[in-house]
């Protein structure tokens, strides 16, 4: 089974590892940089940009894969799936039009509204000709969130109370966004605890992987600037300490309705990952946003736990037979901690040597924005190495992840609090306060 994987981050390293567990898989990888984890798992690799559609097409035509898996949002937004489909290559990942679920914040909000699917906040979309009405709408909201209507690497969304204080600042940010984006989404702010529900779908059936909580802020105790995600955890009971099974079921129900609405709206089945960014609030589970791919780091929490053959799951997504398989995950806790270059995210120390020491039992290392060269591994400008601890309890998974993170040497830092009793306790108390 020849598989083309596109993407060169830690998420794609985890995808490559999961696919390679099947001894029939022969992996070919298209990478933006020489990822030291993906390369040894691949029969051959091509290095290129995600926007170089000619290069991707030539590589795919040469290797003739049975299917392709697209890891990151950038190639999805560039229409790589449409390109591969034109070569009659089956692909896991939505076409450019369906990837709007992630690439256009207004598409997702409008879809939920039109199809009367629960989970939306109060929201309005403004462009240059309607922005004069934004001031009035902002005054109707309690606290607000301002989102550029496009991809921003998770760093363009600004939240009142976290990134700015007043409605005047919100309006100023709307004007700033309109200089670079066609529109801006203004929403009511939800108060609650966020979680990621990564669902696999063939367009008809939706299957959830265990819920995960990510940590966006750069420093311990949720301080510092927003990042792509500094680490994440999942629990052995496949819930999180601040949500119930009913909350997870609500997230699945919303996603099933969205998958059906996408088909009704476009006539196309969505094949791939629908990652629902959800929030548990006093009013129930709400939708923060959708992503059209696995989360990074959240992929590392769920793929290593998958007991069902992932290549078989991918074939079921392509053949629309997900309803006929049962996807099993082991009942283990996971904690993932990202090592990032000193100065990240604003001014990361680039081109610095990273040395991996002795990895403890139960830990796994996933390579992200690092490059193999001159006989060593060097940082680029983003998250460098993800350390995953897997164990029967959260306490042990955290200890293992922390030990693994401390074994990696270089001009790097990580959050020591992810997966700790103290931080999880804070999340639980926050939820209890809200539900009072
Ligand atoms: N962990 C956030 C994301 O993958 O977008």
């Amino acid at each position: 089974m020849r598989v083309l994987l596109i993407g060169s981050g830690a998420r794609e390293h985890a995808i490559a590892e999961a696919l390679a567990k099947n001894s029939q898989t022969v992996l070919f990888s298209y990478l933006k940089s020489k990822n030291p984890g993906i390369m040894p798992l691949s029969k051959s690799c091509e290095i290129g940009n995600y926007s170089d559609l000619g290069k991707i097409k030539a590589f795919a035509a040469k290797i003739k894969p049975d299917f392709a898996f697209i890891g990151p949002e950038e190639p999805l937004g560039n229409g790589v799936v449409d390109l591969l489909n034109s070569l009659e290559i089956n692909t896991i990942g939505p076409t450019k039009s369906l990837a709007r679920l992630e690439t256009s914040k207004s598409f997702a909000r409008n879809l939920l509204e039109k199809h009367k699917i629960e989970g939306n906040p109060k929201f309005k979309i403004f462009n240059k000709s309607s922005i004069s009405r934004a001031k009035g709408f902002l005054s109707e909201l309690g606290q607000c969130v301002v989102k550029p209507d496009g991809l921003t690497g998770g760093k363009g969304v600004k939240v009142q109370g976290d990134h700015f204080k007043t409605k005047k600042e919100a309006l100023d940010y709307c004007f700033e966004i309109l200089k670079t984006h066609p529109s801006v989404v203004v929403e009511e702010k939800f108060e609650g605890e966020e979680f990621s529900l990564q669902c696999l779908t063939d367009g008809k059936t939706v299957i959830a992987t265990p819920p995960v909580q990510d940590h966006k802020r750069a420093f311990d105790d949720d301080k510092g600037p927003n990042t792509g995600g500094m680490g994440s955890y999942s629990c052995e009971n496949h819930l999180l300490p601040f949500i119930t099974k009913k909350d997870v079921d609500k997230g699945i129900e919303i996603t099933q309705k969205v998958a059906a609405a996408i088909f009704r709206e476009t006539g196309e089945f969505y094949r791939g990952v629908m990652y629902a960014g959800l929030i548990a609030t006093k009013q129930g589970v709400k939708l923060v946003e959708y992503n059209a791919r696995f989360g990074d780091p959240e992929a590392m929490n769920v793929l290593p736990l998958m007991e069902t053959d992932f290549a078989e799951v991918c074939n079921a997504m392509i053949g629309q037979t997900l309803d006929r398989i049962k996807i099993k995950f082991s009942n283990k806790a996971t904690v993932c901690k990202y090592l990032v270059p000193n100065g990240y995210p604003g001014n990361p120390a680039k081109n610095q040597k990273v040395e991996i020491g002795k990895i403890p039992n139960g830990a796994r290392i996933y390579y992200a924005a690092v490059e193999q060269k001159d006989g060593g591994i060097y940082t680029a400008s983003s998250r460098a190495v993800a350390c995953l601890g897997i164990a029967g309890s959260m306490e042990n998974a955290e200890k293992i992840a922390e030990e693994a993170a401390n074994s990696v040497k270089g001009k790097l830092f990580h959050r020591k609090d992810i997966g700790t009793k103290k931080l999880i306790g804070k999340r639980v108390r926050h939820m209890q306060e809200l539900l009072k």
Side-chain angles (χ1 to χ4, degrees), residues 115-393:
H115 292 266
K116 299 189 172 48
I117 302 168
E118 293 166 81
N120 260 351
K122 277 189 208 154
F123 77 98
K124 274 198 196 315
I125 300 151
F126 299 100
N127 56 27
K128 277 190 182 133
S129 38
S130 60
I131 191 69
S132 56
R133 295 198 282 277
K135 192 174 171 191
F137 180 61
L138 279 164
S139 68
E140 287 171 27
L141 301 179
Q143 296 225 309
C144 68
V145 180
V146 181
K147 298 178 170 179
D149 195 8
L151 287 180
T152 57
K155 292 167 202 149
V157 174
K158 289 200 178 174
V159 179
Q160 191 171 8
D162 290 348
H163 305 105
F164 60 86
K165 290 199 175 72
T166 65
K167 293 284 171 56
K168 159 93 176 55
E169 286 169 282
L171 192 60
D172 289 346
Y173 186 49
C174 289
F175 279 106
E176 198 184 315
I177 288 170
L178 289 179
K179 287 183 194 157
T180 50
H181 291 77
S183 49
V184 56
V185 183
V186 177
E187 301 182 351
E188 156 198 23
K189 176 181 168 181
F190 291 129
E191 184 61 44
E193 278 297 324
E194 289 190 35
F195 63 102
S196 308
L197 192 65
Q198 301 166 94
C199 297
L200 305 171
T201 184
D202 55 14
K204 293 180 179 171
T205 302
V206 169
I207 298 180
T209 64
V212 179
Q213 189 171 47
D214 186 17
H215 297 73
K216 288 198 168 67
R217 298 303 188 112
F219 309 133
D220 278 18
D221 208 19
D222 299 320
K223 302 270 186 341
N226 267 359
T227 68
M230 291 296 289
S232 46
Y233 65 92
S234 69
C235 298
E236 63 275 22
N237 64 356
H238 300 166
L239 291 175
L240 291 164
F242 51 86
I243 56 171
T244 61
K245 179 161 183 318
K246 221 170 121 201
D247 294 327
V248 174
D249 288 345
K250 178 52 84 178
I252 298 173
E253 185 193 321
I254 292 172
T255 305
Q256 279 164 337
K257 287 181 178 170
V258 170
I262 286 176
F263 180 69
R264 281 209 297 281
E265 202 64 29
T266 65
E268 268 188 77
F269 288 110
Y270 187 113
R271 287 178 174 83
V273 182
M274 290 173 72
Y275 155 174
L278 300 168
I279 183 163
T281 74
K282 190 177 167 76
Q283 291 76 30
V285 170
K286 304 285 177 187
L287 178 74
V288 177
E289 63 180 7
Y290 269 107
N291 293 316
R293 36 122 193 132
F294 275 118
D296 188 348
E298 295 97 318
M300 274 80 83
N301 298 93
V302 300
L303 285 172
L305 296 187
M306 198 184 278
E307 290 174 351
T308 313
D309 175 13
F310 186 50
E312 187 195 326
V313 172
C314 289
N315 277 319
M317 281 195 262
I318 289 162
Q320 291 196 299
T321 55
L322 263 188
D323 60 333
R324 289 190 222 151
I325 61 170
K326 180 140 182 56
I327 306 182
K328 281 189 71 183
F329 295 89
S330 55
N331 286 99
K332 296 265 173 72
T334 65
V335 175
C336 183
K337 301 196 184 207
Y338 247 125
L339 287 145
V340 301
N342 288 346
Y344 174 82
N347 186 24
K350 293 180 206 153
N351 213 17
Q352 301 297 318
K353 194 158 190 180
V354 174
E355 282 175 291
I356 312 285
K358 190 178 172 321
I359 305 302
N361 277 345
R364 296 186 193 194
I365 295 287
Y366 296 97
Y367 293 101
V370 287
E371 182 142 32
Q372 187 147 22
K373 58 181 182 186
D374 309 329
I377 295 168
Y378 291 83
T379 58
S381 52
S382 195
R383 296 172 293 178
V385 179
C387 299
L388 181 74
I390 306 179
S393 70

